[in-house]
Structure formats: structure tokens, C-alpha cells
Amino acid sequence: MTDYAEEQRNELEAIESIYPDSFTVLSETPTSFTITVTSDLEHIPIRELCFTYVEKYPDEVPLWEIYSQENLEDSDIDGILTLLKQQAEENIGMVMIFTLVTAVQEKLNELVDEIKNRREEEKRRKEEAAEEAEKVLFQGTVVTIENFLSWKAKFDLEMAELRRKRQKEEEQLHAGKIKLTGKQLFETDHNLDTSDIQFLEDSGNSVEVDESLFQDLEELDLDEDDPDFDPLALGSDED
């Protein structure tokens, strides 16, 4: 008759000697303990495997659980759990904790390259996305038939609305509903530019300018920067 308790105690002593710095007993009934498993990948936390003996271990597989799963994909965890199940079934009848831990250690080392590749691929995708965004920023929007037709339809609507507003304003102007400002009058009726001159010519009146009145202005010493300067005082002095 197999003494399961004796086999379990002997294995615990061997495991503790193999992993002195990473072996921790959690409970004695049932026997439960953790073993830390390191990986060679930087920034990946240490993995902890928790094992619990069942009554008839090693004729029955132990219970296990993975602690500290950060930075591992769900598919990675599933792969490790599948590996543990496979190794445990192949070693039923023999103490197997060392075998299971070694298998997980090797699996993590295999995942190192895969995780590195995933990170490099993610970095490459981000760089390509940034380059594409920069190209779009400098190149602008590529004209296609679809976006041109969309722009033209919008442009036609805006022009139609502008023509409608102008037509409405003209109708209101002719109906006398809108009173234009002086500026608007000159902008709409260019005859007003010479209306005053034409009025004088039609009435037979003319305006003559005596240029001699302005001939001596350049000789005057006009100190306009003087705060006491009074242009009206010039005429009074002559009188």
C-alpha cells in the first residue's frame, strides 16, 4: 500500500533544497506551497506557481494555479495551463513537481522571443501609423471622384443660397424697402462719382482756383510740433 503522505514529505524536502529562495509553504493541511519561476525577459514579473497536494498524490495529479500573470497574454496563460495538464498526466504515479516547474520554466523562456516579437511588431505599427498621419498632414486630402462630387454639391448649394440672398436684396431695393447708406449708393451707382462736377457744368457755373494763394506756403516756417502753434494767427499777423 502506497504511503502518500511519506512520498509527499520526501518531495517537499527535495523541492525546498532545490528552490531554497523561491519555495514557500502556504498551508500544511492540505499541503499547499508556491514556487517562483523567473524568466529572462526584462520587465516581465516573476511568475509564481501554486501547488496543492490531493490525498492520493502522486497517483492523482496535484492542483495548480498561476500567480502574477501581468504582461502575459491570455493565450500564453492557456498554453502554460495546457502544458501543466499534459505533463502531469504523463507523470502520474511519480512525484512530479520538479518536472512541472521545469516545463513551465522552459515554456516561459520560449515565450520570451514571442513577447519580444510582439512588442517589436507593436512598435513598428505605431511608427508606421505616425508616419502615415504625418504624410496626411503635409499632403492634405487626396481628391477622389467621391469627395469632389461631395464638395461640388456643397459648393453649389452655397452659391445658390448666395444668389437667392442677392436677388432678394435687389427686389427689396427696387421696392423701396431698403435704404442704402452713402457708401452703398456710391458702390452701386458710379454716376455719383462725378455728379457734383456735372451739376456745375450743366448750370454754367465753374469753380476757379487762384494758385497764387498757395505759392508762398512752402516758404512759411510752420512749426506744427510747437504746442502753441495756431494756424489762424498767421492770417491775423498779415492784417
Side-chain angles (χ1 to χ4, degrees), residues 14-26:
I15 292 297
E16 187 175 7
S17 65
I18 296 173
Y19 305 104
D21 299 326
S22 59
F23 173 79
T24 303
V25 176
L26 300 180

Side-chain angles (χ1 to χ4, degrees), residues 73-98:
E73 301 289 341
D74 291 340
S75 59
D76 299 333
I77 299 299
D78 292 340
I80 293 174
L81 294 176
T82 300
L83 176 64
L84 284 170
K85 181 179 179 181
Q86 177 185 353
Q87 291 293 319
E89 291 176 349
E90 291 178 359
N91 289 275
I92 287 179
M94 299 180 292
V95 291
M96 64 182 75
I97 299 302
F98 176 77

Side-chain angles (χ1 to χ4, degrees), residues 4 7-8 56-61 91-96:
Y4 297 114
E7 288 198 36
Q8 294 172 13
K56 294 184 179 182
Y57 172 83
D59 286 340
E60 294 180 359
V61 298
N91 289 275
I92 287 179
M94 299 180 292
V95 291
M96 64 182 75

Side-chain angles (χ1 to χ4, degrees), residues 29-67:
T29 306
T31 302
S32 180
F33 54 92
T34 62
I35 299 175
T36 57
V37 182
T38 60
S39 69
D40 297 331
L41 183 61
E42 188 180 1
H43 305 309
I44 293 295
I46 293 174
R47 309 287 156 229
E48 284 189 345
L49 297 177
C50 177
F51 295 99
T52 302
Y53 287 149
V54 296
E55 183 180 358
K56 294 184 179 182
Y57 172 83
D59 286 340
E60 294 180 359
V61 298
L63 304 178
W64 54 73
E65 187 176 357
I66 301 177
Y67 292 168

Side-chain angles (χ1 to χ4, degrees), residues 27-211:
S27 66
E28 295 182 355
T29 306
T31 302
S32 180
F33 54 92
T34 62
I35 299 175
T36 57
V37 182
T38 60
S39 69
D40 297 331
L41 183 61
E42 188 180 1
H43 305 309
I44 293 295
I46 293 174
R47 309 287 156 229
E48 284 189 345
L49 297 177
C50 177
F51 295 99
T52 302
Y53 287 149
V54 296
E55 183 180 358
K56 294 184 179 182
Y57 172 83
D59 286 340
E60 294 180 359
V61 298
L63 304 178
W64 54 73
E65 187 176 357
I66 301 177
Y67 292 168
S68 303
Q69 302 177 10
E70 295 86 353
N71 296 330
L72 283 179
E73 301 289 341
D74 291 340
S75 59
D76 299 333
I77 299 299
D78 292 340
I80 293 174
L81 294 176
T82 300
L83 176 64
L84 284 170
K85 181 179 179 181
Q86 177 185 353
Q87 291 293 319
E89 291 176 349
E90 291 178 359
N91 289 275
I92 287 179
M94 299 180 292
V95 291
M96 64 182 75
I97 299 302
F98 176 77
T99 300
L100 298 180
V101 173
T102 301
V104 172
Q105 179 71 69
E106 292 176 352
K107 181 64 176 179
L108 282 177
N109 290 337
E110 291 177 4
L111 289 174
V112 166
D113 291 335
E114 296 181 15
I115 295 174
K116 284 182 178 179
N117 291 336
R118 285 201 297 261
R119 290 181 175 180
E120 291 176 358
E121 179 65 20
E122 180 65 20
K123 180 180 178 181
R124 185 185 62 80
R125 285 198 299 265
K126 289 182 178 180
E127 290 176 350
E128 290 180 353
E131 290 177 0
E132 290 298 325
E134 187 175 359
K135 288 181 181 179
V136 171
L137 180 63
F138 284 100
Q139 293 179 355
T141 304
V142 178
V143 177
T144 63
I145 295 177
E146 290 76 10
N147 59 28
F148 172 76
L149 292 177
S150 176
W151 170 85
K152 187 175 184 303
K154 183 179 179 180
F155 176 77
D156 290 342
L157 288 175
E158 293 176 352
M159 294 303 297
E161 178 65 15
L162 182 60
R163 287 192 294 270
R164 186 190 66 79
K165 289 182 178 180
R166 287 181 177 177
Q167 183 178 0
K168 183 177 180 181
E169 291 176 356
E170 291 177 358
E171 292 175 352
Q172 292 178 341
L173 177 62
H174 292 311
K177 295 181 179 181
I178 296 180
K179 184 177 181 180
L180 298 180
T181 64
K183 179 180 179 181
Q184 291 174 327
L185 286 172
F186 276 98
E187 289 177 346
T188 55
D189 188 355
H190 295 291
N191 292 326
L192 295 177
D193 296 347
T194 57
S195 60
D196 290 343
I197 297 175
Q198 186 65 39
F199 172 76
L200 292 174
E201 292 179 352
D202 292 343
S203 61
N205 297 324
S206 62
V207 178
E208 295 183 359
V209 178
D210 188 354
E211 296 181 359

